[in-house]
Amino acid sequence: MEALADLWANSATPLAVAAAIAMLAMSVRTLWAVGVPSLAGLGCGALAGYLAAHILLAGYPAPLALLAGGLAGFWFGLVLAMAAARLQPAWQGLASLGLLALVTPLARMLPEWTGGREGLAFDVGQPALWSCVALGWALVLAARLDGSWFGRAAIALRQDAAVAAGLGIQRPAILGLAYGFAGLLGGLGGVALVLTRGAVAPGMFSTSLGLLAIAAALLGGAYHWLGPWLGALLIGLPSAILFDDASAIQDLAVAAVVVAVVIFLPRGLLDPRDSSRRAARARHRQRSVVPAMAPVDDRPRRRRSSGGPQRSRLDAAIKRRSGGPT
Amino acid sequence: MTIGLQIAGISKAFDGERALEEVGLTVPVGQVTGLMGPNGSGKSVLVDIISGQLRPDRGSVRLLAEGGGQDISRLPAETIAGLGVARCWTDVRLLGMASVLDEVAVGAYTLRQASILGSMLGLGAARRDMRESLETCRQLLDLVGLGARAQSRPDGLSRAERGRIGIARALASDPGLLILDGPANGLAAADIAVLADLIQALKAAGITVLLAERNLKLIADCCDSVVVLNAGRQIAAGSPADCLANAAVQRAYFGATAAGVAAC
C-alpha cells in the first residue's frame, strides 16, 4: 500500500500534465472532426485557466474551478463559432493561430486581472486526482457524442459539405456544437494544466502547447475519440517527465513526431476503419476455410411498423419483393 | 407525406454561359418522372436547383402536397431536405463512414428525436432513437440487396453497390420525393436491371421519383412520363415511347437519322 502511495506521489504530476494535454488534444480533434483545423479550444483553455486561478485564489475548491472553466470555455467556444461561421475551414484555422498568439501579450497587458508577467500562483491539493476525473468525464462525453447523430453529422460535414446539406445537416448548428464542445474540453484542459502547475502565467498557453496538442491528436488518431488520449499518453507523459516547461528541445522533438506521423501514419494509431477492415478479413477467412457453408441470407427481413405513411408503403413493397403477404 | 413537384420557367447561366433556358416540368405525386437528355443537356443543373444546391436566375420550383404547395426555389438545401426531398448524386459521393450501415444511418439525420444533451448524457430515449433508426437502416439495406454488407467498409464495394448505398441513404430520410441523378452511370446491364427493379419497388411504395438519366432503356422501363432536355432547353415531353420516337430527341441523341435508334 505504501509502495502504491509512493508510485502515485511520484507519477501524479506527469499524469496530470498528460491528462491536461489529452483534453486539449481532444478539443483540437473535436474541431478537426468537422473539418476545421483550428486551435480555438486552446484559446478557450487560456480564458478558463485565468478564471480558475481567480476562483482558487478566492478560496473555492478545485472541482468548482474545473466546472466554471469548462462552462466558460463552452460559452467562449460558442462566441468564437458565431465569429468564425462565415469563414472557410482553413481561414478559421489561421484565425485560431492569431487568437493563440494574442493570449501572451494580452495577459501581459492586463496585469490587474492576469498578474502580468509573473502570473498568478495558488496552492491546491490533489490536482492530479481532479484532472484525471475531468479527463474521465471528457472521454465519456466524447464517446457518446461520437456515436450520436451529431457525431455522424460532423463526419458528413467534414467529408462533403454539399452532400451533408442535401441530407438536411445544418452547418451552423453542427459547427456551433463543435466549437462549444471544443471550448468545453479546452476549458477543462486549461484548468487542469493550471491546477497541475499551481500557477498561471502568460507563456503557458503558447503555440508550443498547441503543437503538443496537435502531435497528441495526430499520433493517437484524430478519427477516433480515444486517439487524443492515447497520443497524450505517448507524447504528453514523456514530455512532462523529461521537460519541466516548454523548451526548444521539447518543441523540436514534438515537431519531429508531427512530421513523422503525418508522413508515415496519417490516420494515427487508432483508426475506426481498422475494426471494419478486421471484420472483413475475418469474413474472408471464414469463407475460404469453409467453402461449403450456406450462402448468406440476403432476403429482406420483416420490418416493424414504425415510421410514417411512406414507411408503411415501403414495408408493403419490401414484403411483396420477399414474396410475403402484403 | 408523398409530394410532387412543379417547375416553371427555370433559367440558369454560369458566367453568361446558358445552362438552362425556360425549363418547366411537373412531377406528379406517386409517379416516376424521367428527365433525360445527352451529356451536358442540363439535367444535373436542374437537379441541383431543385435540391437547393444552386439558385435559379429565373423561374420557380414548387413542392406539391396535399393541402397546398410551397415555393422552394430560394430555400437552402438543408431546409429542402427537411421538407422531404432526398437526392442521390451522379458520382454517389459516399461520406467515408466506417461501415455501410453508418453511411446509410447519416441519411436519417432529419428524422432524429434525440437532443444534443440527451445524446451526451446517454439518456435512454437517445439510445433507443439511435437503435431504432439503425434497425430501419438495416431493413433499407435489405431492400437494396446489401443486407449482408451492413458492416463492410463502403469503399471496398463496387460502383453498383455504392450507388445502392446512396439510394438507401436517401431513403433513410423517409422522403416524399426522391431525385436520382444519373444512377445508371458506369453500371453494367445486369446492374441496371436490378436498379430498374428497385425503382419500381419505390414507386409501388408510393414514393415520387424524379429520374435524371441518359440511359434510354432505364427511362423506358421505369418512367410514367418523360421530359427531354438538350443544350439547356426542353425539346420534348410525354410518355417514354412518344419521346423516344420524337425526331428532335433522336437528333439530340444519335445525330440526324432515326436509324441510330434501331442500331441502338
mmCIF file of all heavy atoms in Angstrom, chain B residues 112-154:
data_model
loop_
_atom_site.group_PDB
_atom_site.id
_atom_site.type_symbol
_atom_site.label_atom_id
_atom_site.label_comp_id
_atom_site.label_asym_id
_atom_site.label_seq_id
_atom_site.Cartn_x
_atom_site.Cartn_y
_atom_site.Cartn_z
ATOM 1 N N ARG B 112 -34.245 12.456 -36.640
ATOM 2 C CA ARG B 112 -33.766 12.143 -35.282
ATOM 3 C C ARG B 112 -34.707 12.739 -34.234
ATOM 4 O O ARG B 112 -35.295 13.806 -34.441
ATOM 5 C CB ARG B 112 -32.349 12.685 -35.073
ATOM 6 C CG ARG B 112 -32.314 14.193 -34.930
ATOM 7 C CD ARG B 112 -30.926 14.764 -35.030
ATOM 8 N NE ARG B 112 -30.967 16.198 -34.804
ATOM 9 C CZ ARG B 112 -31.371 17.081 -35.686
ATOM 10 N NH1 ARG B 112 -31.766 16.685 -36.882
ATOM 11 N NH2 ARG B 112 -31.395 18.361 -35.395
ATOM 12 N N GLN B 113 -34.828 12.033 -33.116
ATOM 13 C CA GLN B 113 -35.635 12.509 -31.990
ATOM 14 C C GLN B 113 -34.727 12.979 -30.850
ATOM 15 O O GLN B 113 -35.135 13.763 -30.015
ATOM 16 C CB GLN B 113 -36.509 11.365 -31.461
ATOM 17 C CG GLN B 113 -37.338 10.666 -32.519
ATOM 18 C CD GLN B 113 -38.666 11.336 -32.730
ATOM 19 O OE1 GLN B 113 -39.294 11.730 -31.775
ATOM 20 N NE2 GLN B 113 -39.076 11.488 -33.965
ATOM 21 N N ALA B 114 -33.509 12.454 -30.823
ATOM 22 C CA ALA B 114 -32.619 12.705 -29.679
ATOM 23 C C ALA B 114 -32.072 14.124 -29.701
ATOM 24 O O ALA B 114 -31.751 14.658 -30.759
ATOM 25 C CB ALA B 114 -31.462 11.720 -29.720
ATOM 26 N N SER B 115 -31.967 14.726 -28.512
ATOM 27 C CA SER B 115 -31.366 16.057 -28.400
ATOM 28 C C SER B 115 -29.860 15.910 -28.186
ATOM 29 O O SER B 115 -29.363 14.817 -27.895
ATOM 30 C CB SER B 115 -31.972 16.792 -27.215
ATOM 31 O OG SER B 115 -31.608 16.122 -26.018
ATOM 32 N N ILE B 116 -29.160 17.019 -28.312
ATOM 33 C CA ILE B 116 -27.709 17.001 -28.091
ATOM 34 C C ILE B 116 -27.422 16.592 -26.650
ATOM 35 O O ILE B 116 -26.565 15.730 -26.387
ATOM 36 C CB ILE B 116 -27.114 18.391 -28.375
ATOM 37 C CG1 ILE B 116 -27.230 18.716 -29.864
ATOM 38 C CG2 ILE B 116 -25.656 18.459 -27.939
ATOM 39 C CD1 ILE B 116 -26.875 20.133 -30.210
ATOM 40 N N LEU B 117 -28.148 17.203 -25.713
ATOM 41 C CA LEU B 117 -27.907 16.916 -24.293
ATOM 42 C C LEU B 117 -28.209 15.445 -23.989
ATOM 43 O O LEU B 117 -27.437 14.772 -23.299
ATOM 44 C CB LEU B 117 -28.775 17.839 -23.429
ATOM 45 C CG LEU B 117 -28.342 17.976 -21.981
ATOM 46 C CD1 LEU B 117 -26.953 18.573 -21.878
ATOM 47 C CD2 LEU B 117 -29.335 18.832 -21.191
ATOM 48 N N GLY B 118 -29.334 14.968 -24.537
ATOM 49 C CA GLY B 118 -29.709 13.570 -24.313
ATOM 50 C C GLY B 118 -28.653 12.615 -24.848
ATOM 51 O O GLY B 118 -28.331 11.606 -24.222
ATOM 52 N N SER B 119 -28.090 12.952 -26.013
ATOM 53 C CA SER B 119 -27.050 12.104 -26.603
ATOM 54 C C SER B 119 -25.799 12.123 -25.748
ATOM 55 O O SER B 119 -25.172 11.089 -25.523
ATOM 56 C CB SER B 119 -26.705 12.600 -28.012
ATOM 57 O OG SER B 119 -27.838 12.565 -28.830
ATOM 58 N N MET B 120 -25.411 13.311 -25.262
ATOM 59 C CA MET B 120 -24.177 13.415 -24.470
ATOM 60 C C MET B 120 -24.321 12.724 -23.117
ATOM 61 O O MET B 120 -23.371 12.157 -22.598
ATOM 62 C CB MET B 120 -23.795 14.880 -24.270
ATOM 63 C CG MET B 120 -23.202 15.501 -25.525
ATOM 64 S SD MET B 120 -22.852 17.239 -25.368
ATOM 65 C CE MET B 120 -21.322 17.228 -24.476
ATOM 66 N N LEU B 121 -25.523 12.793 -22.556
ATOM 67 C CA LEU B 121 -25.730 12.179 -21.243
ATOM 68 C C LEU B 121 -26.094 10.701 -21.361
ATOM 69 O O LEU B 121 -26.231 10.007 -20.360
ATOM 70 C CB LEU B 121 -26.833 12.925 -20.479
ATOM 71 C CG LEU B 121 -26.512 14.389 -20.145
ATOM 72 C CD1 LEU B 121 -27.681 15.056 -19.446
ATOM 73 C CD2 LEU B 121 -25.261 14.491 -19.282
ATOM 74 N N GLY B 122 -26.266 10.237 -22.603
ATOM 75 C CA GLY B 122 -26.567 8.817 -22.821
ATOM 76 C C GLY B 122 -27.943 8.437 -22.296
ATOM 77 O O GLY B 122 -28.123 7.320 -21.795
ATOM 78 N N LEU B 123 -28.912 9.345 -22.413
ATOM 79 C CA LEU B 123 -30.256 9.049 -21.911
ATOM 80 C C LEU B 123 -30.892 7.916 -22.721
ATOM 81 O O LEU B 123 -30.581 7.728 -23.902
ATOM 82 C CB LEU B 123 -31.137 10.303 -21.991
ATOM 83 C CG LEU B 123 -30.673 11.507 -21.161
ATOM 84 C CD1 LEU B 123 -31.670 12.645 -21.282
ATOM 85 C CD2 LEU B 123 -30.478 11.134 -19.701
ATOM 86 N N GLY B 124 -31.802 7.203 -22.076
ATOM 87 C CA GLY B 124 -32.421 6.034 -22.703
ATOM 88 C C GLY B 124 -33.130 6.383 -24.000
ATOM 89 O O GLY B 124 -33.034 5.639 -24.975
ATOM 90 N N ALA B 125 -33.815 7.530 -24.027
ATOM 91 C CA ALA B 125 -34.564 7.907 -25.226
ATOM 92 C C ALA B 125 -33.622 8.103 -26.411
ATOM 93 O O ALA B 125 -33.934 7.703 -27.536
ATOM 94 C CB ALA B 125 -35.347 9.192 -24.957
ATOM 95 N N ALA B 126 -32.466 8.701 -26.150
ATOM 96 C CA ALA B 126 -31.499 8.946 -27.228
ATOM 97 C C ALA B 126 -30.942 7.629 -27.747
ATOM 98 O O ALA B 126 -30.799 7.439 -28.961
ATOM 99 C CB ALA B 126 -30.369 9.842 -26.721
ATOM 100 N N ARG B 127 -30.654 6.711 -26.829
ATOM 101 C CA ARG B 127 -30.107 5.416 -27.256
ATOM 102 C C ARG B 127 -31.149 4.621 -28.034
ATOM 103 O O ARG B 127 -30.849 3.994 -29.051
ATOM 104 C CB ARG B 127 -29.653 4.614 -26.026
ATOM 105 C CG ARG B 127 -28.401 5.170 -25.373
ATOM 106 C CD ARG B 127 -27.653 4.080 -24.622
ATOM 107 N NE ARG B 127 -28.490 3.453 -23.600
ATOM 108 C CZ ARG B 127 -28.553 3.843 -22.335
ATOM 109 N NH1 ARG B 127 -27.814 4.865 -21.934
ATOM 110 N NH2 ARG B 127 -29.325 3.242 -21.464
ATOM 111 N N ARG B 128 -32.415 4.706 -27.570
ATOM 112 C CA ARG B 128 -33.499 3.987 -28.249
ATOM 113 C C ARG B 128 -33.708 4.547 -29.661
ATOM 114 O O ARG B 128 -33.881 3.793 -30.622
ATOM 115 C CB ARG B 128 -34.785 4.103 -27.417
ATOM 116 C CG ARG B 128 -35.868 3.136 -27.830
ATOM 117 C CD ARG B 128 -36.956 3.014 -26.786
ATOM 118 N NE ARG B 128 -37.450 4.290 -26.295
ATOM 119 C CZ ARG B 128 -37.248 4.765 -25.072
ATOM 120 N NH1 ARG B 128 -36.545 4.062 -24.203
ATOM 121 N NH2 ARG B 128 -37.725 5.934 -24.690
ATOM 122 N N ASP B 129 -33.666 5.863 -29.763
ATOM 123 C CA ASP B 129 -33.840 6.523 -31.055
ATOM 124 C C ASP B 129 -32.783 6.037 -32.047
ATOM 125 O O ASP B 129 -33.097 5.680 -33.188
ATOM 126 C CB ASP B 129 -33.727 8.041 -30.846
ATOM 127 C CG ASP B 129 -33.852 8.816 -32.138
ATOM 128 O OD1 ASP B 129 -34.695 8.432 -32.961
ATOM 129 O OD2 ASP B 129 -33.123 9.803 -32.318
ATOM 130 N N MET B 130 -31.542 5.991 -31.591
ATOM 131 C CA MET B 130 -30.450 5.557 -32.471
ATOM 132 C C MET B 130 -30.605 4.079 -32.840
ATOM 133 O O MET B 130 -30.421 3.686 -34.000
ATOM 134 C CB MET B 130 -29.119 5.816 -31.763
ATOM 135 C CG MET B 130 -27.889 5.407 -32.537
ATOM 136 S SD MET B 130 -27.751 6.200 -34.145
ATOM 137 C CE MET B 130 -27.233 7.844 -33.685
ATOM 138 N N ARG B 131 -30.987 3.255 -31.847
ATOM 139 C CA ARG B 131 -31.136 1.818 -32.082
ATOM 140 C C ARG B 131 -32.225 1.559 -33.129
ATOM 141 O O ARG B 131 -32.041 0.784 -34.067
ATOM 142 C CB ARG B 131 -31.479 1.134 -30.760
ATOM 143 C CG ARG B 131 -31.149 -0.338 -30.716
ATOM 144 C CD ARG B 131 -31.239 -0.907 -29.315
ATOM 145 N NE ARG B 131 -32.446 -0.546 -28.600
ATOM 146 C CZ ARG B 131 -32.465 0.119 -27.446
ATOM 147 N NH1 ARG B 131 -31.336 0.513 -26.886
ATOM 148 N NH2 ARG B 131 -33.601 0.414 -26.845
ATOM 149 N N GLU B 132 -33.365 2.231 -32.963
ATOM 150 C CA GLU B 132 -34.480 2.020 -33.895
ATOM 151 C C GLU B 132 -34.116 2.499 -35.298
ATOM 152 O O GLU B 132 -34.479 1.872 -36.291
ATOM 153 C CB GLU B 132 -35.733 2.749 -33.384
ATOM 154 C CG GLU B 132 -36.332 2.052 -32.177
ATOM 155 C CD GLU B 132 -37.535 2.792 -31.617
ATOM 156 O OE1 GLU B 132 -37.897 3.865 -32.151
ATOM 157 O OE2 GLU B 132 -38.096 2.296 -30.630
ATOM 158 N N SER B 133 -33.400 3.596 -35.344
ATOM 159 C CA SER B 133 -33.024 4.123 -36.640
ATOM 160 C C SER B 133 -32.052 3.172 -37.355
ATOM 161 O O SER B 133 -32.172 2.947 -38.566
ATOM 162 C CB SER B 133 -32.382 5.493 -36.460
ATOM 163 O OG SER B 133 -32.022 6.003 -37.694
ATOM 164 N N LEU B 134 -31.118 2.619 -36.597
ATOM 165 C CA LEU B 134 -30.175 1.670 -37.205
ATOM 166 C C LEU B 134 -30.901 0.421 -37.706
ATOM 167 O O LEU B 134 -30.555 -0.127 -38.758
ATOM 168 C CB LEU B 134 -29.089 1.276 -36.194
ATOM 169 C CG LEU B 134 -28.046 2.359 -35.880
ATOM 170 C CD1 LEU B 134 -27.074 1.887 -34.818
ATOM 171 C CD2 LEU B 134 -27.285 2.770 -37.131
ATOM 172 N N GLU B 135 -31.930 0.003 -36.982
ATOM 173 C CA GLU B 135 -32.711 -1.161 -37.406
ATOM 174 C C GLU B 135 -33.429 -0.856 -38.731
ATOM 175 O O GLU B 135 -33.434 -1.677 -39.652
ATOM 176 C CB GLU B 135 -33.718 -1.539 -36.308
ATOM 177 C CG GLU B 135 -34.581 -2.738 -36.611
ATOM 178 C CD GLU B 135 -33.782 -3.988 -36.977
ATOM 179 O OE1 GLU B 135 -32.650 -4.145 -36.486
ATOM 180 O OE2 GLU B 135 -34.291 -4.779 -37.796
ATOM 181 N N THR B 136 -34.007 0.354 -38.826
ATOM 182 C CA THR B 136 -34.659 0.751 -40.083
ATOM 183 C C THR B 136 -33.639 0.775 -41.219
ATOM 184 O O THR B 136 -33.934 0.350 -42.345
ATOM 185 C CB THR B 136 -35.291 2.153 -39.923
ATOM 186 O OG1 THR B 136 -36.206 2.100 -38.844
ATOM 187 C CG2 THR B 136 -36.025 2.583 -41.182
ATOM 188 N N CYS B 137 -32.446 1.283 -40.927
ATOM 189 C CA CYS B 137 -31.409 1.361 -41.965
ATOM 190 C C CYS B 137 -30.976 -0.042 -42.411
ATOM 191 O O CYS B 137 -30.702 -0.263 -43.594
ATOM 192 C CB CYS B 137 -30.203 2.153 -41.464
ATOM 193 S SG CYS B 137 -30.596 3.894 -41.244
ATOM 194 N N ARG B 138 -30.925 -0.987 -41.486
ATOM 195 C CA ARG B 138 -30.618 -2.375 -41.869
ATOM 196 C C ARG B 138 -31.675 -2.901 -42.836
ATOM 197 O O ARG B 138 -31.366 -3.585 -43.809
ATOM 198 C CB ARG B 138 -30.574 -3.277 -40.629
ATOM 199 C CG ARG B 138 -29.275 -3.195 -39.884
ATOM 200 C CD ARG B 138 -29.096 -4.327 -38.885
ATOM 201 N NE ARG B 138 -27.948 -4.044 -38.061
ATOM 202 C CZ ARG B 138 -27.989 -3.383 -36.900
ATOM 203 N NH1 ARG B 138 -29.146 -2.986 -36.414
ATOM 204 N NH2 ARG B 138 -26.887 -3.130 -36.217
ATOM 205 N N GLN B 139 -32.930 -2.558 -42.551
ATOM 206 C CA GLN B 139 -34.017 -3.025 -43.417
ATOM 207 C C GLN B 139 -33.927 -2.362 -44.799
ATOM 208 O O GLN B 139 -34.217 -2.989 -45.816
ATOM 209 C CB GLN B 139 -35.360 -2.745 -42.746
ATOM 210 C CG GLN B 139 -35.562 -3.647 -41.530
ATOM 211 C CD GLN B 139 -36.616 -3.124 -40.578
ATOM 212 O OE1 GLN B 139 -37.134 -2.026 -40.755
ATOM 213 N NE2 GLN B 139 -36.915 -3.893 -39.553
ATOM 214 N N LEU B 140 -33.512 -1.103 -44.813
ATOM 215 C CA LEU B 140 -33.346 -0.435 -46.112
ATOM 216 C C LEU B 140 -32.200 -1.080 -46.897
ATOM 217 O O LEU B 140 -32.270 -1.210 -48.119
ATOM 218 C CB LEU B 140 -33.063 1.062 -45.904
ATOM 219 C CG LEU B 140 -34.266 1.890 -45.452
ATOM 220 C CD1 LEU B 140 -33.841 3.293 -45.075
ATOM 221 C CD2 LEU B 140 -35.314 1.939 -46.559
ATOM 222 N N LEU B 141 -31.162 -1.485 -46.184
ATOM 223 C CA LEU B 141 -30.062 -2.191 -46.858
ATOM 224 C C LEU B 141 -30.542 -3.526 -47.409
ATOM 225 O O LEU B 141 -30.125 -3.951 -48.490
ATOM 226 C CB LEU B 141 -28.890 -2.393 -45.895
ATOM 227 C CG LEU B 141 -28.010 -1.152 -45.689
ATOM 228 C CD1 LEU B 141 -27.013 -1.369 -44.564
ATOM 229 C CD2 LEU B 141 -27.275 -0.800 -46.978
ATOM 230 N N ASP B 142 -31.440 -4.186 -46.681
ATOM 231 C CA ASP B 142 -32.057 -5.406 -47.204
ATOM 232 C C ASP B 142 -32.811 -5.102 -48.495
ATOM 233 O O ASP B 142 -32.724 -5.836 -49.470
ATOM 234 C CB ASP B 142 -33.035 -6.000 -46.186
ATOM 235 C CG ASP B 142 -32.313 -6.670 -45.027
ATOM 236 O OD1 ASP B 142 -31.151 -7.059 -45.219
ATOM 237 O OD2 ASP B 142 -32.909 -6.789 -43.944
ATOM 238 N N LEU B 143 -33.548 -3.991 -48.467
ATOM 239 C CA LEU B 143 -34.359 -3.615 -49.631
ATOM 240 C C LEU B 143 -33.493 -3.425 -50.870
ATOM 241 O O LEU B 143 -33.874 -3.823 -51.974
ATOM 242 C CB LEU B 143 -35.139 -2.324 -49.330
ATOM 243 C CG LEU B 143 -35.943 -1.736 -50.481
ATOM 244 C CD1 LEU B 143 -37.139 -2.610 -50.793
ATOM 245 C CD2 LEU B 143 -36.392 -0.319 -50.168
ATOM 246 N N VAL B 144 -32.322 -2.815 -50.708
ATOM 247 C CA VAL B 144 -31.465 -2.570 -51.876
ATOM 248 C C VAL B 144 -30.494 -3.730 -52.115
ATOM 249 O O VAL B 144 -29.591 -3.632 -52.935
ATOM 250 C CB VAL B 144 -30.683 -1.236 -51.743
ATOM 251 C CG1 VAL B 144 -31.633 -0.069 -51.631
ATOM 252 C CG2 VAL B 144 -29.714 -1.259 -50.574
ATOM 253 N N GLY B 145 -30.679 -4.812 -51.371
ATOM 254 C CA GLY B 145 -29.882 -6.017 -51.616
ATOM 255 C C GLY B 145 -28.498 -6.001 -51.007
ATOM 256 O O GLY B 145 -27.603 -6.713 -51.454
ATOM 257 N N LEU B 146 -28.302 -5.163 -49.983
ATOM 258 C CA LEU B 146 -26.975 -5.089 -49.362
ATOM 259 C C LEU B 146 -27.017 -5.442 -47.879
ATOM 260 O O LEU B 146 -26.127 -5.041 -47.118
ATOM 261 C CB LEU B 146 -26.397 -3.674 -49.537
ATOM 262 C CG LEU B 146 -26.024 -3.266 -50.962
ATOM 263 C CD1 LEU B 146 -25.628 -1.795 -51.017
ATOM 264 C CD2 LEU B 146 -24.889 -4.126 -51.488
ATOM 265 N N GLY B 147 -28.045 -6.179 -47.490
ATOM 266 C CA GLY B 147 -28.203 -6.512 -46.077
ATOM 267 C C GLY B 147 -26.991 -7.221 -45.496
ATOM 268 O O GLY B 147 -26.597 -6.988 -44.354
ATOM 269 N N ALA B 148 -26.365 -8.066 -46.315
ATOM 270 C CA ALA B 148 -25.218 -8.830 -45.816
ATOM 271 C C ALA B 148 -23.953 -7.988 -45.731
ATOM 272 O O ALA B 148 -22.954 -8.422 -45.170
ATOM 273 C CB ALA B 148 -24.967 -10.019 -46.731
ATOM 274 N N ARG B 149 -23.988 -6.780 -46.308
ATOM 275 C CA ARG B 149 -22.784 -5.945 -46.319
ATOM 276 C C ARG B 149 -22.865 -4.805 -45.313
ATOM 277 O O ARG B 149 -22.064 -3.881 -45.380
ATOM 278 C CB ARG B 149 -22.574 -5.347 -47.729
ATOM 279 C CG ARG B 149 -22.673 -6.343 -48.872
ATOM 280 C CD ARG B 149 -21.622 -7.438 -48.799
ATOM 281 N NE ARG B 149 -20.272 -6.955 -48.955
ATOM 282 C CZ ARG B 149 -19.632 -6.871 -50.127
ATOM 283 N NH1 ARG B 149 -20.247 -7.234 -51.222
ATOM 284 N NH2 ARG B 149 -18.385 -6.449 -50.189
ATOM 285 N N ALA B 150 -23.816 -4.886 -44.391
ATOM 286 C CA ALA B 150 -24.056 -3.750 -43.479
ATOM 287 C C ALA B 150 -22.800 -3.323 -42.726
ATOM 288 O O ALA B 150 -22.571 -2.138 -42.499
ATOM 289 C CB ALA B 150 -25.165 -4.094 -42.488
ATOM 290 N N GLN B 151 -21.973 -4.284 -42.340
ATOM 291 C CA GLN B 151 -20.787 -3.941 -41.551
ATOM 292 C C GLN B 151 -19.525 -3.804 -42.399
ATOM 293 O O GLN B 151 -18.444 -3.593 -41.862
ATOM 294 C CB GLN B 151 -20.567 -4.994 -40.449
ATOM 295 C CG GLN B 151 -21.711 -5.098 -39.440
ATOM 296 C CD GLN B 151 -22.004 -3.766 -38.752
ATOM 297 O OE1 GLN B 151 -21.119 -2.962 -38.504
ATOM 298 N NE2 GLN B 151 -23.277 -3.526 -38.434
ATOM 299 N N SER B 152 -19.668 -3.903 -43.716
ATOM 300 C CA SER B 152 -18.491 -3.773 -44.589
ATOM 301 C C SER B 152 -18.082 -2.313 -44.711
ATOM 302 O O SER B 152 -18.869 -1.412 -44.452
ATOM 303 C CB SER B 152 -18.804 -4.305 -45.991
ATOM 304 O OG SER B 152 -19.183 -5.639 -45.927
ATOM 305 N N ARG B 153 -16.846 -2.128 -45.162
ATOM 306 C CA ARG B 153 -16.405 -0.764 -45.445
ATOM 307 C C ARG B 153 -16.954 -0.332 -46.795
ATOM 308 O O ARG B 153 -16.819 -1.058 -47.786
ATOM 309 C CB ARG B 153 -14.890 -0.708 -45.477
ATOM 310 C CG ARG B 153 -14.289 -0.465 -44.115
ATOM 311 C CD ARG B 153 -12.807 -0.334 -44.229
ATOM 312 N NE ARG B 153 -12.420 0.821 -45.016
ATOM 313 C CZ ARG B 153 -11.155 1.131 -45.286
ATOM 314 N NH1 ARG B 153 -10.197 0.389 -44.826
ATOM 315 N NH2 ARG B 153 -10.875 2.197 -45.990
ATOM 316 N N PRO B 154 -17.549 0.851 -46.890
ATOM 317 C CA PRO B 154 -18.173 1.266 -48.160
ATOM 318 C C PRO B 154 -17.181 1.369 -49.311
ATOM 319 O O PRO B 154 -17.524 1.079 -50.444
ATOM 320 C CB PRO B 154 -18.747 2.647 -47.837
ATOM 321 C CG PRO B 154 -18.838 2.706 -46.362
ATOM 322 C CD PRO B 154 -17.760 1.840 -45.825
#
